Amino acid sequence: MTAGPHSPNALMIRKLDSIFSLSDEERQALRDLPVQVKTATTDRDIVSIGDRPSQSCLILEGFTCVYKLTYEGKRQIMALHVPGDIPDMQSLHLKVMDFSISPISPCTVGLIQHEHLRDVCERYPRITAAFWRETLVDASIYREWLLNIGRREAYSRMAHLLCEFLMRLNAVGLAEGDTFDLPVTQAVLADATGISSVHMNRVIQALRADGLIQTLKTQVTVPDREKLQEAGEFDPLYLHLKESGAA
Amino acid sequence: MTAGPHSPNALMIRKLDSIFSLSDEERQALRDLPVQVKTATTDRDIVSIGDRPSQSCLILEGFTCVYKLTYEGKRQIMALHVPGDIPDMQSLHLKVMDFSISPISPCTVGLIQHEHLRDVCERYPRITAAFWRETLVDASIYREWLLNIGRREAYSRMAHLLCEFLMRLNAVGLAEGDTFDLPVTQAVLADATGISSVHMNRVIQALRADGLIQTLKTQVTVPDREKLQEAGEFDPLYLHLKESGAA
DNA sequence: CGAGCTTTTGAACGCAGTCAACAATTGTGG
DNA sequence: CCACAATTGTTGACTGCGTTCAAAAGCTCG
């Protein structure tokens, strides 16, 4: 629940540190955040639309998605989150959840009470800035997804999604080179790209046929990253992984 | 450039005040923000992707959009902004712009230097929270647009967009009852909903034929708000216009 | 080894895109 | 104030990407 490089917050701290170069004191304050560790499975939401949570959740293991449903029950996934992410940091300032969060693979998450988050923010303005920045990167990813879903065709959309996922996993050290684990059904990928699951199946076959991806069980390998990025018009700028040079 | 209820910042201050009940001191600090007023026309970006701005822009009059282009030049509009909004608050924390902002009608905007924004944030933590919250609402709108574009058909998308616009204009007192001005080409609306401009034309005709909207020049009237909301599956929760009750 | 998912395949359909032409409107300069 | 240019809106015909429905094949796991 506290100290050590293996505190549950380690990944999140490393991520913030890589951008903000935290001081020892700031790092320690983050390590000291009380975290309640829970496991979650794909059959139940972690948080649901309409909830008024008093905590935010930090992904520790596995993947989650942010989604909403239409009246007819069609699901749109708006974001995928990987370990180190806090998908609902927003509930710190917006009382009512306007979306749901669900695991898309078996997960462990760490729940952090808002009062504790508010407390570190109050004491360390740079942590406020760091958290704020994280939510701004989330928004940037939403924008790129809007471009992806609104203006690209299915084949490119999927290529783009795979590029993003690979790069984000690389950033937190969860992908070995060009191979990563994607323990997720095609229906999930379809809901994340705004197409039907039948069509997603055909798109994946096309990507395989074109040699852009290889799959083995849930493992995905990208033999030629550049080719996949080209197919998906992928430019990592929007991920803001580093502040390439100052203003 | 400063005081009075008619300072350029008035709309923005009123918006923040309605949620946060600012103190006199906080209000005054916002009024004192130096603002450089500029006019802008639809033929040129206010900020462009790749820029590293040292200021953010506050919309004073007219409407702007946030957009990106695909390699083939297809445009996706990700957000519309109305007076009182700050579409690029994010550049306070993200050095490089990952999108462009363009007027979609003749505009006046107020440019505010980042250093001044940082200064008020440092002195007034509640203003930090208020600005942060604004960016979180932007993100919420992106999510709703993702659902709209990813999972609804063109007719509903447009109905939804009109509902959102009407409600946001009402919130800042820029719509008379159920009529508002939308001085925007159909191509813009098409780019905001992810459809072609030809199809947008047909959708608008259908909405007119069904009595959901009436148009006169650039004026749009919504005779039956409920019916339009139903057609667009519009639920204003995601706009977070008020914190309906405490947690 | 069987139940329940998930993936795959085929066929028919439909929403929306594209292209091209024309009409209406707006803006501009004389 | 009119004539002309440029932009915007409208219409029709054709095409196609992706959906839907249904069924079969493959996996996973108790």
Side-chain angles (χ1 to χ4, degrees), chain B residues 151 184-187 197-198 201-202 205 208:
Chain B
R151 288 304 186 201
V184 149
T185 67
Q186 294 180 0
S197 60
V198 171
N201 180 270
R202 291 176 169 131
Q205 290 181 53
R208 281 198 283 243

Side-chain angles (χ1 to χ4, degrees), chain B residues 99-238:
Chain B
F99 59 85
S100 304
I101 300 176
S102 167
I104 53 175
S105 70
C107 271
T108 68
V109 301
L111 304 178
I112 309 176
Q113 292 297 318
H114 285 159
E115 49 188 318
H116 297 131
L117 287 171
R118 271 189 251 278
D119 194 54
V120 280
C121 283
E122 211 167 290
R123 284 186 294 137
Y124 302 97
R126 294 181 72 240
I127 290 181
T128 305
F131 283 156
W132 187 354
R133 184 183 189 281
E134 287 296 299
T135 64
L136 293 171
V137 172
D138 285 341
S140 176
I141 295 174
Y142 294 138
R143 282 190 293 269
E144 184 67 21
W145 282 38
L146 273 166
L147 179 63
N148 205 32
I149 290 175
R151 288 304 186 201
R152 295 192 188 113
E153 52 184 44
Y155 185 89
S156 295
R157 284 185 214 178
M158 186 56 190
H160 190 284
L161 182 67
L162 289 168
C163 288
E164 176 182 313
F165 209 67
L166 176 54
M167 184 150 290
R168 287 171 61 190
L169 289 178
N170 275 326
V172 286
L174 290 174
E176 316 275 321
D178 294 318
T179 297
F180 60 96
D181 197 37
L182 190 64
V184 149
T185 67
Q186 294 180 0
V188 168
L189 299 172
D191 288 345
T193 44
I195 67 179
S196 70
S197 60
V198 171
H199 197 53
M200 174 53 72
N201 180 270
R202 291 176 169 131
V203 165
I204 289 173
Q205 290 181 53
L207 287 168
R208 281 198 283 243
D210 295 345
L212 294 187
I213 60 170
Q214 289 153 12
T215 57
L216 183 60
K217 303 269 181 182
T218 61
Q219 297 286 117
V220 179
T221 302
V222 178
D224 185 340
R225 206 183 277 226
E226 266 193 35
K227 258 180 26 195
L228 191 66
Q229 294 189 349
E230 209 171 308
E233 299 196 345
F234 181 80
D235 176 345
L237 167 68
Y238 75 97

